[in-house]
């Protein structure tokens, strides 16, 4: 299938819709070098379209899998984006926010930009969407309040949702810079852990919000050892065993975020834009994790959401010291010192 070249309107639409579907990425992506800003902004929108398919509860499991597979083919250039829009857009419910409705409607504009990238960039984006689409569809079919079977199952879920994004970003960073590419082996080893740290933090923050829609992404094995059956959890009635299980997962997430800092410090100090992109996400995650740890009896995600003032302080501090590895490590130790550690083997935390 021959793709049409993107227009200036397509590029402008990408910039505008990014602000509508994600305040966080609308903040971090502009920090990137210009050569990366465009492709990573587009990559985020592709992932957001994938996520929209998975999240709209008006779609049946069969429709979700079919449309997810179709979108992967659209990204690869094998199916027209217009056909995808014609099939998905009329099925979207009010569960999907207006900005996401608009994004789906304008999928052809996003895809025209996708198909303008170089072969390495396109391959990275195509792989990410393919793995994410299939993995998320698999997990959606087993979504219940029972939780996931065990910690390895949670790891796999986090890989499909975020770890594969870490791999994609690393491919894009290495394609952009020969200096970064020199550390590619170590960066790829850490990239999945970086993504998992961010995703685990989101899972812990959103425990009770997810339960309201019938989902639980916590591992049963961790909590069964504490005498807690996840299906029986009730908001506002946090038992000691549940808080102990939460502490274990906080320790795991902390270790992943520690790897995220190692990853960031492997980026050459002169690439301050890429470092800021990583550090802002890392900083907000570790501060959220600290808040969760201090309020393990929380029963609403708003109770452990960091304030705008905290976000601004994180942005300012990490921007000032983006090129100083020693200071960054000291800041991480200071913020995370009260978080529990994990006794789980280091093998869990690295890409195999």
């Amino acid at each position: 299938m021959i793709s049409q070249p993107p227009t200036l309107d397509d590029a402008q639409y990408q910039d505008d819709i990014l602000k509508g579907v994600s305040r966080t990425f609308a903040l971090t992506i502009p920090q990137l070098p210009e050569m990366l800003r465009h492709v990573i902004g587009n990559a985020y929108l592709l992932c957001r379209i994938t996520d929209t398919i998975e999240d709209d509860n008006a779609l049946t499991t069969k429709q979700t899998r079919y449309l997810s597979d179709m979108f992967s083919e659209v990204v690869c250039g094998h199916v027209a984006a217009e056909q995808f829009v014609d099939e998905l857009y009329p099925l979207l419910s009010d569960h999907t926010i207006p900005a996401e409705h608009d994004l789906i409607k304008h999928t052809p504009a996003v895809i025209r930009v996708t198909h303008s990238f170089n072969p390495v960039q396109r391959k990275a984006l195509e792989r990410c969407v393919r793995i994410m689409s299939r993995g998320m569809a698999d997990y959606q079919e087993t979504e219940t309040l029972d939780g996931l079977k065990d910690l390895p199952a949670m790891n796999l879920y986090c890989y499909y949702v975020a770890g594969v994004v870490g791999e994609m970003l690393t491919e894009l960073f290495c394609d952009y810079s020969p200096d970064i590419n020199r550390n590619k082996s170590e960066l790829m080893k850490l990239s999945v852990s970086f993504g998992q740290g961010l995703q685990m933090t989101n899972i812990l923050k959103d425990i009770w919000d997810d339960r309201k829609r019938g989902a639980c992404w916590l591992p049963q094995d961790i909590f069964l050892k504490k005498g807690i059956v996840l299906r029986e959890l009730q908001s506002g009635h946090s038992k000691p065993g549940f808080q102990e299980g939460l502490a274990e997962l906080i320790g795991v997430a902390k270790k992943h975020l520690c790897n995220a800092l190692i990853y960031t410090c492997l980026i050459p100090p002169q690439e301050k834009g890429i470092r800021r992109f990583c550090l802002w996400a890392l900083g907000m995650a570790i501060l959220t994790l600290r808040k969760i740890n201090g309020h393990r009896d929380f029963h609403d995600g708003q109770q452990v959401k960091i304030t705008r003032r905290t976000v601004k302080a994180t942005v300012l501090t990490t921007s000032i010291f983006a090129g100083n590895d020693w200071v960054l490590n000291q800041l991480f130790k200071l913020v995370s010192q009260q978080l529990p550690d994990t006794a789980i083997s280091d093998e869990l935390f690295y890409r195999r």
Side-chain angles (χ1 to χ4, degrees), residues 14 29 37-50 110 113-114 117 121 124-125 128-129 132 165 168-169 172:
Q14 176 169 296
I29 288 175
R37 205 176 300 155
H38 206 43
V39 64
I40 291 178
N42 186 263
Y44 175 78
L45 295 179
L46 297 179
C47 292
R48 192 59 181 254
I49 292 170
T50 302
V110 176
V113 176
T114 305
F117 300 136
Q121 294 170 328
L125 269 58
C128 179
V129 171
M132 179 182 286
V165 177
M168 175 193 66
L169 289 172
L172 296 176

Side-chain angles (χ1 to χ4, degrees), residues 46-56 100 132 136:
L46 297 179
C47 292
R48 192 59 181 254
I49 292 170
T50 302
D51 195 48
T52 299
I53 300 169
E54 305 297 335
D55 277 353
D56 196 306
E100 289 175 347
M132 179 182 286
M136 290 174 69

Side-chain angles (χ1 to χ4, degrees), residues 177-229:
S177 165
D179 289 338
I180 296 176
N181 193 53
R182 292 189 183 97
N183 292 326
K184 184 173 183 178
S185 177
E186 191 64 20
L187 287 167
M188 289 301 293
K189 183 181 176 184
L190 293 162
S191 62
V192 173
S193 188
F194 195 151
Q196 178 153 351
L198 300 181
Q199 185 60 30
M200 281 192 71
T201 302
N202 284 335
I203 287 172
L204 297 179
K205 173 177 65 70
D206 295 335
I207 289 171
W208 303 113
D209 296 325
D210 285 339
R211 291 189 73 82
K212 290 176 184 176
R213 62 181 186 85
C216 178
W217 306 114
L218 301 176
Q220 295 175 23
D221 61 338
I222 296 289
F223 292 92
L224 283 174
K225 289 187 296 185
K226 313 295 182 183
I228 299 297
V229 178

Side-chain angles (χ1 to χ4, degrees), residues 15 29 34 41 76 86 100 117 121 139 147 156 175 285 304 327:
D15 291 342
I29 288 175
E34 187 174 352
C76 292
D86 288 344
E100 289 175 347
F117 300 136
Q121 294 170 328
Y139 271 85
L156 186 58
D175 177 64
V304 291
V327 172

